[in-house]
Amino acid sequence: MAAPWGSSGSRWSLGALLFVWGTFLGALPGEATIFPGPAEVVGRSSLQEARGGESLIEVARTHDLGFNEIAAANPGLDPFAPPAGSPVAIPGAHVVPAAVTPGQLVVNLSELRLYFVPSGGTPLIASFPVGTGSEGKETPLGIYRVTEKRANPAWHVPLSIRREKPRLPAVVPPGPDNPLGSHALRLTVDGLMIHGTNRPWGVGRAVSHGCIRLYPEDIPILFRLVSLGTPVAIVREPVKVGSQDGRLLIEVHRDDGAGIDYAAEATRLILARGALDRVSVTRLLRALAEKRGVPVDIDR
């Protein structure tokens, strides 16, 4: 199951969500992606018209999406200068990764998205787009823990980065020039952090030196939700299967680093649910071929 801790696809009223946001965070999170749980599929996709002079990078941030998500959902559309009036798919729905369990933060490298379900209290699913490590500096897979939480962190520049950019000082103080942004969570691996950024265009891209970066407006929310000692699972799940309103959905992301047979993985996940007899082969094959990173109904 995509979310073994529950399968309800129900939604709360806007008033209930606002109450929960206020209770958990002390303030409304604006465009933050926080959903009621438990659920196997969260969020809702939509369409809007492109506006003159607005890139898909800006549209993505407005809807708390990464650049990779908006680009994959709109193949053939110029991401930097989409023609005004063009339909733009907003991929706001997400199948929750199988690795997600209460109290564990999950980063799915295949979709460049983070998920967190707090333990106890009001059931919530928080999900944010992330940027990760570039080729040769990949964010490492594994299970880690949050060992330090720091607001307004100073950046102690690693020697490897100073060799690349010798003009950098040994320490960058808090402020607009600090690439860690306003908050940072340090993990058990030396140098590995989840933090904000002063370069939001890098969210939804593999461009960091290995750390996991969030939009400036998202990192304070995650910072409040996560406690010291929280386990962090960094995984690759390019194929996810979930159920919503009695329908079977599959979400497929293009992830060349996963090294899997997509059809075999999809079949494995569907068989594990005992749902192979209800699948439309045509719809399944189309989803596997397109890899648009959006939930696709594959029921007959």
Side-chain angles (χ1 to χ4, degrees):
M1 305 234 344
W5 43 277
S7 59
S8 170
S10 63
R11 289 179 169 273
W12 291 355
S13 68
L14 177 60
L17 281 174
L18 294 179
F19 172 78
V20 169
W21 281 335
T23 300
F24 258 81
L25 307 174
L28 299 184
E31 289 292 331
T33 314
I34 298 182
F35 308 98
E40 291 189 349
V41 182
V42 297
R44 181 176 297 166
S45 295
S46 60
L47 281 172
Q48 71 175 51
E49 288 188 356
R51 293 181 290 191
E54 185 177 50
S55 72
L56 293 191
I57 298 173
E58 296 165 290
V59 174
R61 187 173 180 183
T62 297
H63 294 277
D64 206 33
L65 298 167
F67 175 73
N68 63 311
E69 295 175 296
I70 199 87
N74 293 276
L77 194 61
D78 185 340
F80 303 106
S86 299
V88 178
I90 308 299
H94 314 283
V95 175
V96 178
V100 171
T101 58
Q104 175 172 266
L105 190 154
V106 172
V107 177
N108 185 8
L109 299 183
S110 298
E111 59 177 321
L112 298 183
R113 180 161 280 271
L114 176 155
Y115 296 82
F116 181 61
V117 177
S119 295
T122 304
L124 295 175
I125 304 172
S127 181
F128 307 101
V130 300
T132 59
S134 59
E135 185 176 356
K137 303 167 186 173
E138 291 85 354
T139 302
L141 299 173
I143 305 293
Y144 310 100
R145 287 190 178 275
V146 175
T147 59
E148 182 183 4
K149 295 176 62 177
R150 185 65 60 93
N152 299 313
W155 182 37
H156 295 265
V157 185
L159 285 176
S160 59
I161 297 179
R162 292 183 66 193
R163 291 190 190 102
E164 294 177 13
K165 302 178 179 179
R167 292 186 178 181
L168 281 174
V171 180
V172 177
D177 296 326
N178 190 319
L180 301 185
S182 62
H183 297 79
L185 304 173
R186 188 176 298 278
L187 307 186
T188 42
V189 170
D190 185 38
L192 183 59
M193 290 184 281
I194 300 172
H195 59 76
T197 183
N198 63 345
R199 297 181 179 180
W201 56 265
V203 173
R205 301 172 187 259
V207 293
S208 79
H209 283 77
C211 285
I212 298 158
R213 59 177 69 173
L214 278 73
Y215 282 129
E217 58 270 26
D218 287 345
I219 187 61
I221 301 166
L222 181 67
F223 187 86
R224 294 189 187 106
L225 287 174
V226 172
S227 303
L228 288 174
T230 296
V232 178
I234 301 178
V235 303
R236 289 196 116 103
E237 289 190 29
V239 182
K240 302 181 294 177
V241 175
S243 179
Q244 185 178 53
D245 299 328
R247 304 293 293 181
L248 188 65
L249 306 179
I250 192 168
E251 181 178 323
V252 186
H253 293 264
R254 189 177 303 279
D255 181 2
D256 296 335
I260 67 164
D261 182 319
Y262 283 86
E265 179 65 5
T267 302
R268 182 187 71 80
L269 293 172
I270 295 167
L271 280 172
R273 305 174 69 95
L276 194 60
D277 59 345
R278 59 187 280 192
V279 170
S280 164
V281 175
T282 301
R283 291 180 177 181
L284 174 59
L285 291 177
R286 183 182 301 122
L288 291 170
E290 293 180 345
K291 297 181 180 64
R292 292 182 62 184
V294 296
V296 176
D297 188 326
I298 55 172
D299 255 313
R300 288 180 180 175

